[in-house]
Amino acid sequence: IICVSNARAASARLQQARQDLLEVTSKLNDIQRLQRAPKVAALQLESSAEIANRIATALVDAGLTESTLMKEEPSDPQRVQRTDFEIRSTVIELAPATLPEILRFCRELRDADTGTVVRDITLTAPRGDANGEGQETWESELVLTQMIFSPKCR
């Protein structure tokens, strides 16, 4: 009787251990999935110098010259309605460039770890552009945004 009782207790512990293993495996999978997921917001605001460095690096990585950058104008962070988040926008104007170059530049600016993305792109045909010469180029205005987690004091 004691052996049967001990076997049943061991079987129950084994079942519980299997359930625990399934739960732990599921939680580890969730952790790994969340580690790969893009972040929505940064914990601190990037300085103007960091933004300028990000833009300069993205220009080089996209194969554009420094003279392509016509304007970069960061704004002050603005509270997003009544949330614990702020958003900072930087307006970037580029001289005429091809569409693939502009898209590479946008891709290089993006940083999921700091919540930085190009939110808006406005393309304009350059004035005095001679059609039929080489590749089609566009003047562009981009809005680079960074979402910052900034809890309100209550």
Side-chain angles (χ1 to χ4, degrees):
I1 293 176
I2 294 174
C3 288
V4 170
S5 164
N6 286 342
R8 286 186 181 161
S11 176
R13 285 194 309 273
L14 180 61
Q15 279 299 101
Q16 184 62 44
R18 285 181 180 160
Q19 289 175 353
D20 291 346
L21 177 62
L22 288 174
E23 184 178 345
V24 167
T25 303
S26 171
K27 290 183 184 210
L28 284 173
N29 289 336
D30 288 345
I31 289 170
Q32 289 172 344
R33 182 180 48 80
L34 291 172
Q35 284 177 332
R36 289 188 303 269
K39 315 288 186 289
V40 174
L43 296 177
Q44 64 184 21
L45 181 67
E46 282 187 318
S47 70
S48 296
E50 289 172 320
I51 291 172
N53 287 340
R54 176 186 302 281
I55 292 169
T57 302
L59 281 169
V60 170
D61 291 347
L64 297 169
T65 63
E66 287 184 26
S67 63
T68 307
L69 180 64
M70 302 301 286
K71 174 176 125 179
E72 96 186 46
E73 189 176 297
S75 64
D76 292 329
Q78 302 291 318
R79 174 96 25 216
V80 178
Q81 297 176 359
R82 293 185 173 131
T83 66
D84 286 334
F85 295 94
E86 292 182 341
I87 192 165
R88 177 193 218 175
S89 299
T90 302
V91 176
I92 302 168
E93 287 184 13
L94 298 179
T98 65
L99 200 52
E101 290 171 331
I102 295 168
L103 293 176
R104 275 195 308 271
F105 177 67
C106 292
R107 217 175 306 128
E108 295 299 329
L109 282 173
R110 183 180 173 277
D111 184 6
D113 290 335
T114 61
T116 304
V117 295
V118 174
R119 185 184 66 199
D120 299 319
I121 302 174
T122 304
L123 299 174
T124 310
R127 292 174 211 84
D129 188 26
N131 289 333
E133 286 186 19
Q135 290 186 311
E136 188 177 79
T137 59
W138 298 88
E139 291 177 349
S140 55
E141 181 178 286
L142 316 165
V143 179
L144 179 69
T145 60
Q146 180 188 23
M147 185 74 70
I148 305 107
F149 179 68
S150 175
K152 298 185 290 186
C153 296
R154 295 173 192 208

